[in-house]
Amino acid sequence: LAILHTPVSRSTFSYFQCHNIYGKSFMRTDYSIECYSLSNGEWYAFLPVVLLILVLYCILMPVSIGLYIFINRKKLYTVKIQQKIGFLYQGFTKNAEWWLVHEMMRKLLLTGFLVMIPTVLKTPFGIIISLIALINLNYFKPYRNIYLFWVSQASFCITALTFCMSSVFDFNQFNGNNSMEKEEERVAIILISLNVFFFALTVISAIMVIIVLKQKIDIIRKKESTKVIPFHESERDEVEK
C-alpha cells in the first residue's frame, strides 16, 4: 500500500487538474470530460469515488501510520509492536521510525498538492518542500544503509535543483520572453545530465548493496561451516573403535 501511495495520489489529484479553454474547463488527462459541468454530469459522477480515495487512502493512511508510531513510540522495539508494524521502520535508525510517513507526505505534496495551487506558486512551493526534506534528511539521517542515504541525498538535491532551474522557464513564459532559447536549452541539458547522474548513482548503489549482502552471507556460511559440534560419549566410543 505504501508503494502504491504516490502513483494513486498523483492520479487522484490529477482529477482536479483542469484546463480552461474559451471559458470551459476540461480535464487535462481526458479532454472529453468537462470539469464542474452540471449539463454533463460525467465529472460529478466519479467525484464521490475520487474524494473517498483522496481522504481515506491518500491522506488518512499516512496520518494513521504516523499517529500509531507516535502513540507507541516507547514500545516500537518490543516484540508485540515489531510483529505488527516492525516492517514499516526496520530499515530506519532509532528516532527516525516515522521516515516512511515523511516520504509519503513529501511525495504527496510534490505530486498532488502542487497540482491544486496556481501555476505561479508551484515552483516556489516545490523549492520550499524540497529544501525542508533535504534538511530533515541530513539532520535525522534515517537510513541504516549508507548507500540508501546517499541515493536519497542525490535525489533530494536533484529535485530541489530541478525546481530552481524550472524558474527560468516560468520567468520566460510569464514575461513572454523568447530571446532566451539558448539559456533554456542549457538548463534542459543540465537537468537531463543530473537525472542521468542520479540513475547511474542508483545503479552503482544497488550493485554495492548486492556485494555487501553477498559478503555478509559468505561470512555467515563460514561461521556455520566451522561450528564445533560436541560428540556424545557413546558416539565418541564408536569413533574410537
Side-chain angles (χ1 to χ4, degrees), residues 54-68:
L54 177 64
V55 174
L56 294 182
Y57 181 68
C58 300
I59 297 175
L60 283 184
M61 191 184 83
V63 171
S64 301
I65 295 173
L67 284 175
Y68 191 86

Side-chain angles (χ1 to χ4, degrees), residues 35-52:
C35 302
Y36 315 109
S37 174
L38 294 175
S39 57
N40 183 5
E42 192 173 359
W43 190 84
Y44 281 105
F46 288 98
L47 184 60
V49 178
V50 174
L51 290 176
L52 190 67

Side-chain angles (χ1 to χ4, degrees), residues 72-136:
N72 297 280
R73 62 189 181 280
K74 296 181 179 179
K75 307 175 186 177
L76 291 177
Y77 294 97
T78 60
V79 176
K80 183 179 178 181
I81 299 298
Q82 281 190 322
Q83 286 178 344
K84 287 183 178 180
I85 61 167
F87 64 94
L88 294 174
Y89 55 85
Q90 62 182 358
F92 304 126
T93 56
K94 196 172 182 179
N95 298 323
E97 294 87 359
W98 47 270
W99 192 254
L100 176 65
V101 179
H102 177 280
E103 284 299 277
M104 292 172 70
M105 295 305 296
R106 180 182 71 90
K107 294 173 183 177
L108 176 67
L109 291 173
L110 289 177
T111 61
F113 173 71
L114 293 184
V115 174
M116 307 293 293
I117 63 177
T119 305
V120 69
L121 297 176
K122 288 181 180 180
T123 298
F125 271 95
I127 294 172
I128 293 170
I129 293 167
S130 300
L131 291 179
I132 292 173
L134 188 59
I135 292 169
N136 289 338

Side-chain angles (χ1 to χ4, degrees), residues 125-170:
F125 271 95
I127 294 172
I128 293 170
I129 293 167
S130 300
L131 291 179
I132 292 173
L134 188 59
I135 292 169
N136 289 338
L137 177 68
N138 285 274
Y139 181 78
F140 293 102
K141 294 182 179 178
Y143 293 104
R144 295 179 184 272
N145 190 311
I146 190 65
Y147 299 109
L148 287 177
F149 171 77
W150 283 110
V151 169
S152 298
Q153 184 89 277
S155 174
F156 286 18
C157 288
I158 290 171
T159 303
L161 287 172
T162 300
F163 279 108
C164 289
M165 292 183 177
S166 65
S167 60
V168 175
F169 300 99
D170 294 339

